[in-house]
């Protein structure tokens, strides 16, 4: 009964806050992990807009999402939540919603007409049992290939669009004493790279069979073996300094000419911009080697129940500010991602964002990201298998496939 009563109070406070937010915003502690120079500039757009609207942004930036997420979740479960917390769209926050720990944003979404201005797939990814529990702030994909145009011109290398072309280009750079691929071997980067190979070299059907269907038999196919072999081959084109290298450190290897290519998400562009690089002039981009799929992902912010009317007011104002049209364009230009709203002016976006928007026009190229299809437990277990495979050159593709299949077997629905 108490839990139900608190839920009713929370919903009422949130609705009231929506009506009054322009007049009486409160302090909001925002927990996130955007800490690089480019990310900090982007998140400051939100902070400045929130403060200008009458709120007070209290920044709680924690380096590394793998640390920030459990920290925030433990605080929510323990009854001491931040006012607002960053997450990724999909199933990551499902358990928090199921336990009644998040405020329902249906009223905020209705007032802002989210159904009209946001993609249906994104709305589904922030919903649970028909209710909205998070504010999506961008669209991004993790499987871009970025490259140093000056090095490509110097070595006479053409832009690769397939994995075969990628390895041919990598051989040219390796022979010329240039690190072919900048890479950071942190677990999340390894798993992200593998998932990109899975979608690009394995194809759409295999990808969905793995993440959507959790089908262990998919690992016994020639397509999965090709993925395992491709991923293992990439290892030989990286340098010995990969362990614990952050993605922005890897990005700097391109801007300093130490490495020719880097496979990373849209957020890489923020690092290039901070270094004074311009898309199409200093760096080039290829979306999804192989089948050119767009692995859809979105950063979101959840609104934990805090029990106070002041916190609910701040949450409602935050949601309004983050999805403001002008704020969306300014934030995403700095962050390197694309606005999640479909009704903003995109004429000022850079050359690579326009490539992404063009690909997104084809529904056949859109693939829900792993976080949208599978829970954190399964993804973390798969990541452990991938990390071990990368660190163990003696492990064969067949041995890797058996371990991968064993994880999928544990999560049969």
């Amino acid at each position: 009964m108490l839990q139900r009563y608190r839920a009713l109070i929370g919903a009422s406070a949130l609705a009231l806050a929506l009506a009054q937010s322009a007049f009486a915003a409160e302090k909001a502690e925002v927990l996130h992990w955007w800490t690089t120079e480019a990310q900090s500039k982007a998140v400051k757009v939100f902070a400045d807009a929130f403060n200008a609207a009458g709120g007070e942004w209290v920044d709680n930036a924690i380096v590394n999402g793998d640390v920030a997420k459990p920290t925030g979740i433990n605080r929510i479960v323990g009854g001491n939540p931040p006012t607002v917390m960053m997450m990724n769209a999909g199933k990551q926050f499902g358990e928090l919603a199921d336990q009644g720990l998040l405020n329902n944003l249906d009223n905020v979404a209705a007032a802002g007409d989210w159904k009209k201005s946001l993609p249906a797939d994104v709305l589904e990814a922030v919903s649970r049992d028909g209710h909205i529990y998070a504010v999506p702030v961008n669209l991004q994909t993790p499987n871009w290939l970025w490259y140093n145009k000056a090095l490509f011109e110097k070595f006479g290398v053409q832009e690769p669009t397939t994995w075969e072309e990628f390895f041919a280009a990598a051989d040219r750079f390796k022979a010329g004493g240039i690190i072919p691929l900048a890479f950071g071997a942190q677990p999340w980067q390894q798993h992200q790279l593998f998932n990109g190979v899975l979608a690009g070299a394995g194809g759409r059907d295999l990808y969905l069979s793995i993440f959507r269907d959790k089908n262990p038999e998919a690992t016994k196919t020639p397509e999965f073996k090709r993925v395992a072999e491709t991923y293992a081959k990439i290892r030989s084109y990286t340098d010995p300094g990969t362990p614990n290298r952050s993605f922005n450190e890897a990005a700097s290897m391109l801007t300093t000419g130490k490495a020719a290519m880097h496979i990373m998400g849209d957020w890489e562009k923020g690092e290039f911009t901070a270094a004074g690089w311009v898309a199409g002039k200093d760096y080039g981009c290829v979306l999804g080697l192989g089948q050119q799929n767009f692995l859809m992902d979105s950063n979101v912010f959840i609104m934990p129940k805090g029990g106070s009317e002041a916190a609910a007011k701040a949450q409602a104002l935050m949601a309004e500010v983050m999805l403001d049209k002008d704020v969306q364009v300014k934030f995403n230009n700095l962050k390197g991602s694309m606005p999640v709203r479909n009704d903003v002016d995109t004429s000022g976006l850079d050359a690579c964002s326009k490539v992404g928007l063009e690909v997104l026009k084809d529904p056949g190229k859109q693939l829900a990201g792993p976080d949208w299809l599978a829970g954190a437990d399964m993804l973390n277990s798969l990541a452990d298998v991938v990390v071990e495979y990368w660190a163990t050159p003696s492990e064969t593709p067949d041995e890797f496939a058996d371990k991968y299949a064993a994880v999928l077997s544990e999560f049969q629905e």
Side-chain angles (χ1 to χ4, degrees), residues 143-157:
N143 56 329
W144 285 95
L145 171 74
W146 312 100
Y147 63 89
N148 180 316
K149 286 182 72 73
L151 285 176
F152 267 59
E153 292 173 5
K154 179 180 179 181
F155 284 81
V157 176

Side-chain angles (χ1 to χ4, degrees), residues 219-239:
T219 65
K220 299 178 180 177
T221 62
E223 290 80 9
F224 189 85
K225 187 167 187 175
R226 180 167 64 242
V227 170
E229 291 173 342
T230 300
Y231 184 68
K233 188 175 180 179
I234 293 172
R235 190 194 297 122
S236 63
Y237 293 97
T238 62
D239 68 300

